[in-house]
Amino acid sequence: MRDAPFAAASRLTGLGTSIFTEMSALAERTGSINLGQGFPDEDGPPEVLRAAIEAIEAGHNQYAPLPGVPPLREAIAAHQRSRYGLEHEDVQVTFGATEAISAGLLGLCDPGDEVIALDPFYDSYRAGAAFAGARLVGVPLQPPKWRFDPAGLAAAVTERTRMLLLNTPHNPTGRVLDRTELEAIAAVCVKHDLVAISDEVYEHLVFDGEHVPLATLPGMAERTLTVSSIGKTFSVTGWKTGWACGPAELVAALRGAKQFMTFAGGTPLQHAAAAALAIAEEHGARLAAELEAKRDRLCDGLERAGAEVLRPAGTYFVNADVRPLGYDDGVVFCRELPERAGVVAIPTSVFCADPGRVRSLVRFAFCKREAVIDEAAARLGRLRCPT
Ligand SMILES: Cc1ncc(COP(=O)(O)O)c(C=O)c1O
């Protein structure tokens, strides 16, 4: 066995991966409240959980067809049609949005291609691009409002640019892009004949404004793969059941890669996801209202603690500037926070290709029970007056 680290493996794992592991270990060792990881501490709706059990008992336990089980593909198509008026040519079920994104990158990008993404970006994007031999090019979202410069986006396009990989509502910033911004993105895609993958996993978790799918903009339906999953909307992140839908040619490219990544599975969860999507509107609206209240609870707590809060319009993440707490580096703050206050958070810089601009920002998740948020806020409050 070679003793040097495997170059390919270390190329794919950046600071982002190691800090998540480090923070989870710190949370465990110090008994801290973990607001670093973005998953809910409450289960999804009982009828959805029951649907999974019933699917197993009904014998849906073998490989699914490669595109996904028909009831789920139909439920995804119906969701897109009734919620957004979108008629997709094809639908592919995947192991979470993550697999849809990786398979889309693999199926659509050649080695040496460039993929434009808003920076900061969800941590799998860079690895997904690297799998394909492509390079991620960041267009900065500028705090505190998290807007991008349309001229900067246009200038990021080169002759190697193949794809725009969008995420709205956006992790880690909580930004929900508005129509004007989406129009600027669409104009660049159309002008340069780019394909787009639009990651919309937080589509139901919007508090201010509205979620506008990129594919609904003129000229975009024919060049966009819309990606989502049930993890966030139904508080079942561990089910990893997602999808990509769009033009037949783009879905076929993604499917070709997915076929040799994992083929098809999670069959009972696919059936349960179909049942879940039937109640997406009511459940999504209820969850968004609950999360909005939780957002305000945590934001108020962070403000009382002295941090400067960048209140999000969607998702379940809030960023706070910790300079008023005496830290200009979020990484140092996050390493000390568990010992000092018994809370774990994640430095926003780990989501950035260009970390300097967000150095003093820290991301907190508020998809936790109210009592947990209140306890975290109380602990953070003690940062100001150390005993
Ligand atoms: C922006 C974004 N995309 C994709 C995912 C992953 O989705 P899934 O669990 O369905 O793979 C996440 C999860 O945190 C996310 O924040």
Side-chain angles (χ1 to χ4, degrees):
M1 194 69 171
R2 47 191 280 170
D3 44 16
F6 285 90
S10 47
R11 190 160 42 77
L12 295 176
T13 54
L15 174 64
T17 311
S18 53
I19 202 127
F20 279 104
T21 315
E22 178 187 338
M23 289 302 150
S24 293
L26 258 179
E28 196 129 310
R29 186 165 60 72
T30 56
S32 292
I33 296 176
N34 194 343
L35 301 186
Q37 291 171 316
F39 60 80
D41 61 358
E42 285 178 298
D43 256 338
E47 60 269 49
V48 172
L49 306 183
R50 243 187 342 266
I53 294 164
E54 283 166 11
I56 290 174
E57 288 176 349
H60 295 299
N61 299 306
Q62 308 308 327
Y63 295 126
L66 174 59
V69 301
L72 177 55
R73 296 177 70 228
E74 282 155 23
I76 294 163
H79 174 268
Q80 296 299 99
R81 188 180 305 120
S82 65
R83 188 167 169 81
Y84 305 119
L86 282 168
E87 292 285 352
H88 299 291
E89 285 176 8
D90 202 356
V91 176
Q92 173 64 50
V93 176
T94 56
F95 279 100
T98 308
E99 188 192 45
I101 293 160
S102 292
L105 286 160
L106 272 172
L108 291 163
C109 293
D110 285 318
D113 282 353
E114 291 174 358
V115 175
I116 294 178
L118 299 176
D119 180 345
F121 43 77
Y122 177 56
D123 56 353
S124 83
Y125 291 4
R126 191 162 27 189
F131 288 151
R135 192 171 75 84
L136 206 65
V137 175
V139 170
L141 285 172
Q142 206 59 47
K145 296 219 173 296
W146 298 119
R147 301 188 77 87
F148 65 89
D149 172 15
L153 170 63
V157 179
T158 72
E159 59 193 21
R160 299 310 316 252
T161 308
R162 168 73 175 134
M163 179 188 287
L164 192 132
L165 174 48
L166 182 71
N167 171 217
T168 184
H170 184 265
N171 175 16
T173 66
R175 199 50 233 295
V176 179
L177 294 192
D178 64 32
R179 198 172 284 277
T180 317
E181 292 167 299
L182 292 166
E183 279 166 2
I185 290 169
V188 167
C189 290
V190 171
K191 178 171 176 198
H192 298 281
D193 196 21
L194 308 181
V195 294
I197 293 182
S198 186
D199 173 357
E200 303 179 8
V201 296
Y202 298 99
E203 60 188 315
H204 285 271
L205 310 187
V206 174
F207 326 123
D208 307 323
E210 61 161 344
H211 170 60
V212 180
L214 185 63
T216 60
L217 276 96
M220 291 310 292
E222 56 266 42
R223 61 179 73 249
T224 302
L225 279 174
T226 301
V227 167
S228 192
S229 69
I230 62 159
K232 319 291 176 187
T233 307
F234 295 95
S235 307
V236 287
T237 57
W239 285 18
K240 279 284 178 184
T241 304
W243 54 86
C245 27
E249 194 192 3
L250 299 187
V251 174
L254 179 152
R255 184 175 293 145
K258 185 225 171 355
Q259 174 171 8
F260 298 109
M261 290 165 75
T262 55
F263 187 58
T267 310
L269 300 180
Q270 291 195 23
H271 284 277
L277 281 179
I279 57 162
E281 286 312 317
E282 315 86 271
H283 177 74
R286 201 165 45 237
L287 182 62
E290 281 170 24
L291 280 171
E292 183 176 2
K294 291 179 179 187
R295 171 196 67 174
D296 292 341
R297 242 178 156 89
L298 184 59
C299 289
D300 293 351
L302 282 164
E303 272 166 3
R304 278 196 304 276
E308 200 174 298
V309 173
L310 286 63
R311 205 169 278 251
T315 76
Y316 40 53
F317 301 110
V318 54
N319 287 267
D321 195 324
V322 294
R323 276 177 297 189
L325 296 172
Y327 290 85
D328 57 16
D329 187 340
V331 175
V332 176
F333 176 84
C334 288
R335 288 202 166 117
E336 292 186 7
L337 190 62
E339 296 285 1
R340 284 196 59 200
V343 174
V344 161
I346 295 286
T348 309
S349 59
V350 304
F351 300 97
C352 287
D354 164 25
R357 159 175 66 80
V358 301
R359 220 161 89 90
S360 58
L361 297 182
V362 171
R363 190 196 78 171
F364 297 82
F366 53 83
C367 47
K368 309 292 174 184
R369 281 165 291 139
E370 285 177 359
V372 174
I373 293 175
D374 288 348
E375 175 59 24
R379 291 183 185 190
L380 289 163
R382 284 179 222 131
L383 276 177
R384 263 193 156 168
C385 41
T387 47

